[in-house]
Amino acid sequence: MVIINRLFNDAASIAIIRAADGPTSIVVAQKLNSRYLGAIMVAACSYMALVPIIQPPIIRLLTTKKERLIRMNNNEPNVSKITIILFPTIVTIISGLIAPQSISLISFLMFGNLIKESGVLNSLKETAQNALTNIITIFLGLTIASQMQAEQFLKIETIIILLLGLFVFIFDIAGGVIFAKIVNLFSKEKINPMIGAAEISAFPMSGRVVHKMAIEEDPTNFILMNSIGVNVFGQIASVIAGGLFLNFFG
């Protein structure tokens, strides 16, 4: 029974790579005590960095030029300040009810959003966006490096995990594009299917890549806000998915 549980934990830790979110993958692998933590860390963070290389050819393969030229409504909705401030709190509460294990991740994500949107914590906002981000990045790199001992990392299982991670990452991008195309079959107001690829959690790189592809097709077609919106919800969904994995297997 212990061996079966360990296999399930390893499988869940590897599967969460598809979320394309480094912190989520690291937290899930650590809490499930996966034997492949180092490989999972490297795979998740590597594919996040490779979004500009991996994403465009998949999008072009699955879309036509006509679809990539679809314009979308860029009119900014009139959202009140109170709604903007309540958003991170409500998201945290709902995420906690759905997947209690996701609280540690979603609360940090939403706390950063709250600092930015409150309008009264400018010094904290600047620190979080610059110095704190750089410090955390350094510690994240050190954490990954500490898990890459030769006897644990230089194994055939590592290559298999990297390949599996690449497969699910590609499948995730393709799934978003295909879903957007399916929605267009039943919708009068068409959406640009490229934004479906931005549903991965590699924020904000994925949304920017999609926007760049749109303006390459038509320099006046700005879909940045649409793609970033999808990207944000992809990030939230990846954290909830990680929490559900921990609820099921933890």
Side-chain angles (χ1 to χ4, degrees), residues 34-89:
S34 174
R35 293 169 292 176
Y36 308 112
L37 178 59
I40 291 169
M41 285 179 168
V42 172
C45 294
S46 296
Y47 297 136
M48 285 177 64
L50 290 173
V51 165
I53 298 175
I54 298 175
Q55 195 165 272
I58 299 171
I59 294 174
R60 291 192 182 97
L61 180 66
L62 296 174
T63 59
T64 64
K65 185 175 181 63
K66 182 179 179 180
E67 288 174 327
R68 295 194 294 272
L69 288 171
I70 293 176
R71 290 175 172 272
M72 299 186 65
N73 182 13
N74 285 313
N75 295 329
E76 293 187 9
N78 186 19
V79 181
S80 65
K81 188 69 174 180
I82 188 67
T83 301
I84 294 174
I85 293 176
L86 284 176
F87 172 76
T89 304

Side-chain angles (χ1 to χ4, degrees), residues 11-198:
S13 300
I14 295 170
I16 202 63
I17 294 173
R18 69 146 296 279
D21 187 70
T24 300
S25 300
I26 293 170
V27 169
V28 171
Q30 282 182 329
K31 290 193 173 184
L32 294 181
N33 196 27
S34 174
R35 293 169 292 176
Y36 308 112
L37 178 59
I40 291 169
M41 285 179 168
V42 172
C45 294
S46 296
Y47 297 136
M48 285 177 64
L50 290 173
V51 165
I53 298 175
I54 298 175
Q55 195 165 272
I58 299 171
I59 294 174
R60 291 192 182 97
L61 180 66
L62 296 174
T63 59
T64 64
K65 185 175 181 63
K66 182 179 179 180
E67 288 174 327
R68 295 194 294 272
L69 288 171
I70 293 176
R71 290 175 172 272
M72 299 186 65
N73 182 13
N74 285 313
N75 295 329
E76 293 187 9
N78 186 19
V79 181
S80 65
K81 188 69 174 180
I82 188 67
T83 301
I84 294 174
I85 293 176
L86 284 176
F87 172 76
T89 304
I90 294 173
V91 169
T92 302
I93 293 172
I94 294 175
S95 300
L97 292 173
I98 297 173
Q101 295 277 12
S102 69
I103 283 292
S104 60
L105 285 169
I106 199 71
S107 59
F108 273 105
L109 177 64
M110 291 297 107
F111 180 64
N113 181 269
L114 183 61
I115 289 176
K116 180 178 184 296
E117 299 298 342
S118 66
V120 295
L121 297 170
N122 292 328
S123 60
L124 285 179
K125 182 185 73 172
E126 293 298 324
T127 301
Q129 289 179 333
N130 298 289
L132 185 59
T133 299
N134 293 332
I135 292 171
I136 292 174
T137 301
I138 291 172
F139 277 106
L140 178 60
L142 292 174
T143 302
I144 294 174
S146 68
Q147 298 295 325
M148 294 175 63
Q149 296 92 347
E151 64 274 8
Q152 296 179 4
F153 190 77
L154 298 178
K155 298 188 294 186
I156 188 64
E157 289 91 342
T158 301
I159 298 176
I160 294 174
I161 290 171
L162 291 173
L163 291 175
L164 285 172
L166 179 61
F167 172 76
V168 296
F169 189 67
I170 292 173
F171 185 80
D172 197 12
I173 295 172
V177 176
I178 293 171
F179 183 78
K181 290 166 71 76
I182 293 174
V183 171
N184 277 344
L185 295 176
F186 305 96
S187 176
K188 291 183 179 180
E189 186 175 348
K190 304 302 181 184
I191 62 175
N192 193 313
M194 290 196 296
I195 70 170

Side-chain angles (χ1 to χ4, degrees), residues 183-234:
V183 171
N184 277 344
L185 295 176
F186 305 96
S187 176
K188 291 183 179 180
E189 186 175 348
K190 304 302 181 184
I191 62 175
N192 193 313
M194 290 196 296
I195 70 170
E199 52 84 29
I200 60 176
S201 182
F203 178 86
M205 190 181 301
S206 182
R208 288 175 176 173
V209 168
V210 169
H211 173 64
K212 182 180 178 182
M213 291 184 66
I215 60 175
E216 284 176 354
E217 299 287 344
D218 178 2
T220 64
N221 188 14
F222 296 95
I223 62 171
L224 180 62
M225 297 307 296
N226 305 99
S227 60
I228 289 295
V230 174
N231 209 175
V232 169
F233 280 102

